[in-house]
């Protein structure tokens, strides 16, 4: 039923929220939802208007934004902390989502609001 499908997709969405910094793949997420990979992908996109991969990327970028704004970690450390393996792909994705590279974003948001930052 639609209710059962929504429950399964919500379980997978909650799992993504809890594990977005880890290596997630379609097979694993579809197992969490107890659906075939194809059915899971299609149903997730139809239900939440975003693919599972784009949802993971969105969560990672949002977390990276917060870290860039509030912490003094290097871009490379933040890249790894949020689940990206490659700094260049992280920078490219970040720029496409935020409109600026991570370093430029950090400078802009800190200068804009005069934020004091925690070490590490």
């Amino acid at each position: 039923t639609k209710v059962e499908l929504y429950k399964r997709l919500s379980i997978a969405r909650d799992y993504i929220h809890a594990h977005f910094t880890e290596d997630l793949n379609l097979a694993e997420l579809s197992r969490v939802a107890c659906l075939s990979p194809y059915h899971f992908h299609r149903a997730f996109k139809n239900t939440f208007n975003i693919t599972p991969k784009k949802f993971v990327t969105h969560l990672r970028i949002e977390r990276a934004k917060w870290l860039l704004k509030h912490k003094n970690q290097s871009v490379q450390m933040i890249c790894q902390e949020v689940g990206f393996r490659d700094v260049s792909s992280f920078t490219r994705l970040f720029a496409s989502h935020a409109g600026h590279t991570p370093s430029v974003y950090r400078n802009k948001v800190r200068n804009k609001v005069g934020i004091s930052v925690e070490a590490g």
Side-chain angles (χ1 to χ4, degrees):
T1 67
K2 286 185 178 187
V3 171
E4 180 61 28
L5 179 60
Y6 185 80
K7 285 180 186 177
R8 290 178 184 202
L9 294 171
S10 294
I11 289 168
R13 184 187 57 197
D14 293 346
Y15 182 85
I16 293 169
H17 269 282
H19 300 275
F20 70 89
T21 62
E22 301 168 17
D23 256 348
L24 296 176
N25 60 55
L26 189 59
E28 177 182 359
L29 296 175
S30 62
R31 275 195 302 275
V32 168
C34 298
L35 298 167
S36 74
Y38 172 79
H39 188 64
F40 169 74
H41 186 274
R42 188 180 53 150
F44 192 97
K45 185 171 190 295
N46 288 339
T47 301
F48 302 119
N49 296 315
I50 190 169
T51 65
K53 183 176 181 173
K54 286 183 180 179
F55 184 61
V56 170
T57 299
H58 171 76
L59 292 175
R60 289 176 175 177
I61 297 297
E62 290 303 309
R63 178 66 181 158
K65 284 180 176 179
W66 188 91
L67 291 169
L68 288 162
K69 186 175 182 180
H70 298 294
K71 301 288 182 176
N72 272 333
Q73 297 169 296
S74 70
V75 170
Q76 179 154 357
M77 286 181 68
I78 289 172
C79 165
Q80 292 170 350
E81 183 173 329
V82 300
F84 289 100
R85 292 184 185 172
D86 178 56
V87 176
S88 64
S89 65
F90 166 66
T91 300
R92 188 176 62 255
L93 279 168
F94 188 94
S96 73
H97 283 258
H100 302 288
T101 65
S103 298
V104 170
Y105 177 85
R106 171 182 271 163
N107 292 334
K108 282 187 172 278
V109 296
R110 287 187 181 175
N111 291 335
K112 188 176 187 177
V113 289
I115 292 184
S116 62
V117 181
E118 290 182 32

